[in-house]
Amino acid sequence: MRTYAIALFAIIAACNINAQDCKSILIGEVIDFHDNTPLQFATILITGSTKSATTDSSGKFRIENLCDGVMELEIYHDECKTKLMTVLIDGDTFLKISLEHHLEELHEVKIIGSTIKNNTNSALEQSLNLNTIEQYSSQSLGDALKEIAGVSSLNTGANIVKPTIHGLNGSRVLVLNDGVRMQDMEWGEEHAPNIDINGSGTIAVIKGAAALQYGGDAIGGVIVMEQPKTREKDTLFGKTVVNGVSNGRGGNISSEITKSLENGVFIKAQGSYKKLGDRETPNYVLSNTGSNEKAAQINFGKLLFNWGVNVKYSFFKSDLAILRASHIGNVDDLIRSINNQEPETINPFTYNIESPRQEVTHHIGSFNFYKRFQGVGKWNIQYDFQNNRRFEYDIRVGDDADKASIDLDLTTHTVTTDFKWDSKYEYKLHLGAMGRYQDNFANPATGVRRLIPDYSKFDFGVFFIGEYRFSDNLIADGGIRYDYNRIDAKKFYRTSRWEEREYDTEFQDLVIDDLGTQLLVNPVLSYHNISGTLGMEYQVDNSSKLRFNYALGQRAPNPSELFSDGLHHSASRIELGDLRIANETSHKFSLSKEVNYDMWGFTIEPYANFLTDFILLEPTGVEYTIRGAFPVWSYRQTSARLLGIDLSLYSNLWDNWKTNHKFSLVKGKDLDFDNALINMPAANFRNRLSFIKPKWNNFEISVESNYVFRQNEYPADIIVFSPEQQQDVLLKINTSPPAYHLLSAYTKVQFPIGIKNQLQVGLTVSNLLNAEYRDYLNRQRYFADDLGRNITLQLNFKY
């Protein structure tokens, strides 16, 4: 009986509805939330009926013959997130609807060739996609970035790899790790970035100081690492990558999992572990070159189009052995090593990590909030915390055998905020500010004179960037940035060193305590820096693009350049900073032409960088200590010029066959002394031939040739006195090794597992012919050959 009553009520209700005078009209407009521009081809559907409409070129739509009452609308567009909303129809009704048209930009995973969305318009910028990052899963950030023309590395053996961009590294190369500027004592030549490459989805390299929003002191360039964006979708996915490595007889494993919901809430966890034993050259074991790395991160929050919160914590720990033979006792050991061309210490293979070694731990915690304002732009604010703890262990005896020679604890707090007005097609404006406080504690319990002192540092910066579109083909951009840096240090100087450096005539007012043989001084130094950029991008036609950029970059000297004073054990040399060192200034001009046809394309990037007060570290002599005679490396400033060119070319001339070619050349000159600059990368030429067959389970195989020319331009060697020979001898500390040629091979294939899972098997062989060589930018070239053949087997399981 109850069922019949419900059915009767439904029939009566339907009759009443049909009896209504359904003549109301819904008129509306669909606009882009981002910039309020009309959206064409959006579809508006009344759910539960067949009535619908599509917007015209002005974003307008019209649906007629509607009954009054509450209705549900479904609005969708090919490039937008579908939107559901209810509307009350009461006679003729007007409705304005905004859609998130820039959803693709928010969930950026778009790859065009090997590039992602640019961080700038006119600067030289290239990037690595996720496939390339996964291929280098068992290696370092510096190793992977060599895939980009113009990027090389300054190495300390195989474990410590510092990225070098256009001949510049260290404090001149800024690393942005998922929105956080790394503060990990990057000033040291043997300090590698404390980053697990497996935590990134894309890595972009901006060559030069054009990206002012990240910092005006990035004279070499900026490395921007970003995680893959999560989608507003109820899903659970992840991957596990396992690598077996022959040279080092170890490997690594990395695994991650992401859970996201349709309401934008997500959580992601990732972890990695790597262990390698002693590395090997073609002829002998590199004793004490193992490594042990652990990394983990957790990331959670809620990311919507118009607002979002992102909280992240990451942990990285590395225990890196340093070649035993590179730990010299005095200058005669160095002379013998250079002359013998073979390590003085060669032991059987082991996984043990002994002194000399480094142990570094890095923590990052960050909180980011953003808010989009309809028709205006996007506001960001972020706080991040970093702690970097570094131990460097020398070969010591007795009670100090297990005590670190260097123990540094660096803590950094940073707040950044910015607003980007991007609602207008013709122009965009970007304004931001940064404040940072840093504290460094050098533990005196090491029993060794502290190389770097205690200090506190304050940084403040503001920037303004503008972009104007003159036409569909021509965009100009420019910007200016101001940075203030203040460092307050307390350091003990030996009185003899203080007077030797003639500080007593210039900085005597800094002395706060005279202890006879040593002085306690309190340098408080301030620096003001102005940076700027101006450039243009011109779309010549559908296939070619032209860019020009001028970048003015300034940076304050880092603590090592100012305060170094003593024996740097892991470098086996005495390093001397200089309190007189002033701001370094760069004027860089770059031009690029990019051409992309269906079958082939190329990019050519010439550049010129003129630097005033360029800070360099170079060998200047020998100093005698109670432990023996050690080379002295001193910081100084000069005028310098860097000229270079990067060339990339690709071809798809045959079905399934591709070629890639890259050439890089940079020449650095000390203009004050009319001499070559130290540690400039040698010219190199890379060529790759690939066969790709998607029908064969995405099968790919490639062979690569890498020819590195001899660096013929380097500073003169120095004359030193040999206590062992009791005479002056020529120390070939700057002479470069011969050119070398390496071949490598790579292959991969994918196997579906079930409906959604996939296993990719890859095999990489580096130094295929097991060639003997030494690289000019490897600081251990004095003591041993570089790595021999290495075979890496990779299993990449995506689920």
Side-chain angles (χ1 to χ4, degrees):
M1 185 66 184
R2 184 171 178 269
T3 302
Y4 289 121
I6 294 175
L8 180 62
F9 175 79
I11 293 172
I12 294 172
C15 291
N16 286 336
I17 291 173
N18 291 332
Q20 290 183 28
D21 189 11
C22 295
K23 294 184 179 180
S24 296
I25 302 173
L26 175 61
I27 301 172
E29 179 183 12
V30 180
I31 61 173
D32 182 350
F33 177 95
H34 181 69
D35 56 12
N36 286 338
T37 55
L39 289 179
Q40 188 178 11
F41 303 127
T43 300
I44 298 88
L45 173 69
I46 299 177
T47 59
S49 77
T50 59
K51 293 184 179 294
S52 65
T54 302
T55 57
D56 58 21
S57 59
S58 61
K60 302 292 178 54
F61 69 91
R62 179 186 179 98
I63 304 177
E64 300 180 344
N65 300 323
L66 297 179
C67 302
D68 290 347
V70 177
M71 297 182 180
E72 184 179 59
L73 303 182
E74 181 179 347
I75 308 100
Y76 61 91
H77 187 277
D78 287 344
E79 299 176 359
C80 304
K81 180 183 177 181
T82 299
K83 186 173 187 177
L84 295 174
M85 61 185 301
T86 58
V87 60
L88 174 64
I89 304 297
D90 186 11
D92 293 347
T93 305
F94 177 81
L95 181 65
K96 179 177 283 191
I97 303 169
S98 60
L99 289 184
E100 302 165 3
H101 182 235
H102 289 251
L103 189 69
E104 283 190 312
E105 186 174 300
L106 180 66
H107 300 313
E108 178 186 356
V109 193
K110 46 185 183 174
I111 306 293
I112 304 172
S114 63
T115 64
I116 60 172
K117 185 179 84 69
N118 286 346
N119 295 275
T120 64
N121 289 310
S122 60
L124 305 181
E125 181 174 352
Q126 290 177 289
S127 61
L128 303 179
N129 59 32
L130 183 59
N131 290 334
T132 303
I133 294 171
E134 290 177 344
Q135 184 180 342
Y136 281 88
S137 172
S138 64
Q139 300 184 63
S140 69
L141 171 65
D143 292 318
L145 289 176
K146 292 179 186 178
E147 289 284 329
I148 296 175
V151 181
S152 54
S153 65
L154 179 65
N155 291 24
T156 302
N159 293 330
I160 302 173
V161 185
K162 290 182 70 68
T164 298
I165 302 175
H166 285 174
L168 301 174
N169 54 53
S171 296
R172 302 180 183 94
V173 174
L174 186 158
V175 180
L176 202 74
N177 183 6
D178 203 27
V180 176
R181 174 172 174 168
M182 295 294 292
Q183 300 289 331
D184 52 356
M185 306 186 198
E186 72 288 340
W187 38 262
E189 288 188 352
E190 73 291 346
H191 298 180
N194 300 140
I195 292 176
D196 176 24
I197 192 174
N198 295 286
S200 298
T202 56
I203 304 176
V205 173
I206 305 165
K207 304 171 185 177
L212 294 181
Q213 63 267 40
Y214 304 127
D217 54 346
I219 290 173
V222 181
I223 300 168
V224 183
M225 308 177 67
E226 295 181 330
Q227 291 193 27
K229 305 298 183 182
T230 58
R231 296 183 178 273
E232 295 172 34
K233 182 179 180 181
D234 191 358
T235 184
L236 177 67
F237 61 93
K239 69 176 179 181
T240 297
V241 181
V242 180
N243 292 281
V245 179
S246 67
N247 198 330
R249 308 182 197 181
N252 79 308
I253 181 171
S254 175
S255 189
E256 67 178 55
I257 189 166
T258 302
K259 172 63 180 176
S260 62
L261 301 176
E262 193 170 354
N263 63 2
V265 173
F266 78 98
I267 184 169
K268 176 181 179 180
Q270 185 264 338
S272 300
Y273 177 73
K274 178 166 73 173
K275 184 176 181 64
L276 294 171
D278 289 338
R279 307 298 187 90
E280 299 176 50
T281 73
N283 299 313
Y284 47 81
V285 173
L286 295 167
S287 297
N288 198 50
T289 54
S291 63
N292 195 340
E293 293 182 1
K294 304 172 186 176
Q297 64 180 23
I298 185 168
N299 194 12
F300 62 90
K302 184 171 185 176
L303 300 179
L304 299 173
F305 178 80
N306 56 345
W307 71 276
V309 175
N310 193 353
V311 180
K312 180 182 176 182
Y313 167 76
S314 67
F315 164 83
F316 181 88
K317 183 175 182 180
S318 63
D319 196 354
L320 307 176
I322 296 176
L323 180 68
R324 177 62 181 85
S326 70
H327 186 85
I328 60 174
N330 52 56
V331 71
D332 282 305
D333 290 345
L334 182 58
I335 294 171
R336 281 193 299 271
S337 296
I338 293 176
N339 292 336
N340 293 344
Q341 290 293 298
E342 188 170 292
E344 294 196 356
T345 302
I346 301 177
N347 296 321
F349 173 89
T350 179
Y351 289 99
N352 295 337
I353 296 177
E354 300 175 347
S355 299
R357 65 185 178 91
Q358 296 181 4
E359 183 180 314
V360 184
T361 305
H362 195 81
H363 300 269
I364 301 177
S366 65
F367 173 87
N368 176 271
F369 173 80
Y370 66 84
K371 170 69 177 175
R372 292 181 185 268
F373 297 89
Q374 184 170 349
V376 183
K378 181 181 177 182
W379 173 58
N380 274 290
I381 186 169
Q382 176 174 293
Y383 164 77
D384 59 78
F385 164 85
Q386 298 181 69
N387 177 258
N388 187 266
R389 188 70 184 272
R390 167 173 289 271
F391 298 95
E392 295 185 8
Y393 293 88
D394 187 16
I395 298 176
R396 306 173 76 176
V397 296
D399 295 338
D400 295 333
D402 297 324
K403 186 181 294 185
S405 297
I406 292 180
D407 179 356
L408 299 175
D409 190 350
L410 181 68
T411 301
T412 308
H413 302 268
T414 306
V415 176
T416 59
T417 185
D418 67 275
F419 193 93
K420 188 172 186 178
W421 287 266
D422 55 3
S423 60
K424 301 299 182 182
Y425 177 76
E426 294 82 8
Y427 66 89
K428 293 177 173 59
L429 302 174
H430 195 183
L431 175 69
M434 175 276 298
R436 177 183 299 119
Y437 175 77
Q438 192 171 78
D439 179 77
N440 181 72
F441 173 68
N443 191 351
T446 60
V448 176
R449 179 175 296 277
R450 291 176 284 180
L451 182 69
I452 302 296
D454 296 343
Y455 67 82
S456 59
K457 187 169 180 282
F458 173 74
D459 303 318
F460 172 76
V462 292
F463 70 86
F464 177 78
I465 302 172
E467 170 191 321
Y468 187 79
R469 184 180 295 271
F470 289 94
S471 66
D472 290 341
N473 295 338
L474 179 62
I475 302 175
D477 59 12
I480 189 168
R481 180 180 178 110
Y482 167 75
D483 285 281
Y484 170 74
N485 313 102
R486 181 180 184 272
I487 186 166
D488 185 342
K490 287 187 178 180
K491 178 174 176 61
F492 285 96
Y493 281 92
R494 284 180 297 154
T495 303
S496 58
R497 177 79 74 194
W498 184 261
E499 295 173 350
E500 169 199 307
R501 307 290 287 178
E502 298 182 353
Y503 289 161
D504 55 327
T505 61
E506 295 186 53
F507 303 109
Q508 197 61 29
D509 58 323
L510 302 182
V511 177
I512 58 176
D513 197 1
D514 187 343
L515 304 177
T517 59
Q518 59 181 346
L519 304 171
L520 176 61
V521 301
N522 180 207
V524 180
L525 307 172
S526 297
Y527 304 91
H528 301 270
N529 298 300
I530 298 291
S531 305
T533 182
L534 184 65
M536 54 77 66
E537 176 187 278
Y538 179 64
Q539 187 79 38
V540 180
D541 52 40
N542 291 334
S543 302
S544 61
K545 185 180 294 185
L546 189 67
R547 293 188 180 96
F548 169 79
N549 181 266
Y550 162 71
L552 164 67
Q554 279 194 321
R555 75 173 184 95
N558 63 46
S560 180
E561 294 162 341
L562 290 168
F563 305 123
S564 289
D565 175 32
L567 183 61
H568 196 169
H569 295 268
S570 66
S572 298
R573 66 193 188 194
I574 293 170
E575 294 181 4
L576 297 179
D578 194 331
L579 291 174
R580 305 176 186 88
I581 287 181
N583 294 345
E584 180 179 86
T585 303
S586 162
H587 299 271
K588 185 172 185 179
F589 301 86
S590 58
L591 180 70
S592 72
K593 183 172 184 179
E594 181 180 340
V595 176
N596 293 288
Y597 298 116
D598 291 338
M599 303 299 291
W600 68 284
F602 70 88
T603 302
I604 183 169
E605 303 174 342
Y607 59 91
N609 197 352
F610 301 91
L611 300 109
T612 56
D613 294 320
F614 178 68
I615 306 170
L616 71 156
L617 177 65
E618 61 183 5
T620 54
V622 171
E623 184 170 302
Y624 300 91
T625 72
I626 58 174
R627 289 194 51 196
F630 287 90
V632 176
W633 289 63
S634 302
Y635 287 99
R636 68 175 177 89
Q637 291 188 279
T638 188
S639 297
R641 182 190 67 209
L642 278 72
L643 302 177
I645 188 169
D646 299 332
L647 176 64
S648 301
L649 184 147
Y650 70 88
S651 69
N652 305 314
L653 300 181
W654 310 279
D655 290 343
N656 308 118
W657 291 92
K658 296 183 177 181
T659 68
N660 285 276
H661 315 272
K662 297 176 183 178
F663 175 79
S664 295
L665 171 69
V666 58
K667 289 183 174 290
K669 190 168 186 178
D670 181 341
L671 298 178
D672 288 352
F673 290 88
D674 193 24
N675 199 6
L677 288 177
I678 194 171
N679 288 339
M680 287 291 108
N684 68 89
F685 190 25
R686 299 173 67 131
N687 299 276
R688 179 183 297 159
L689 173 66
S690 303
F691 174 79
I692 302 171
K693 192 74 172 179
K695 292 182 179 179
W696 297 353
N697 288 344
N698 286 321
F699 173 76
E700 177 181 341
I701 186 169
S702 63
V703 178
E704 181 175 278
S705 161
N706 183 21
Y707 186 84
V708 178
F709 295 78
R710 185 177 187 267
Q711 177 55 275
N712 294 315
E713 299 180 1
Y714 51 84
D717 294 315
I718 61 176
I719 302 292
V720 301
F721 179 78
S722 167
E724 189 175 277
Q725 302 179 41
Q726 285 297 299
Q727 63 178 357
D728 289 335
V729 299
L730 179 66
L731 182 62
K732 295 183 178 180
I733 199 168
N734 290 325
T735 300
S736 65
Y740 62 89
H741 182 213
L742 302 179
L743 293 178
S744 62
Y746 172 70
T747 185
K748 71 173 183 179
V749 65
Q750 297 175 352
F751 302 98
I753 300 177
I755 299 176
K756 298 182 178 180
N757 303 331
Q758 173 187 285
L759 175 65
Q760 177 177 292
V761 181
L763 183 70
T764 303
V765 184
S766 304
N767 194 358
L768 185 66
L769 302 182
N770 209 25
E772 299 177 39
Y773 71 100
R774 299 192 183 197
D775 190 275
Y776 176 64
L777 289 185
N778 192 328
R779 295 173 61 252
Q780 292 184 352
R781 72 180 189 274
Y782 309 122
F783 312 103
D785 291 339
D786 225 303
L787 297 183
R789 183 186 298 114
N790 183 38
I791 302 173
T792 303
L793 175 64
Q794 182 180 98
L795 303 178
N796 187 341
F797 181 44
K798 296 181 179 179
Y799 41 86

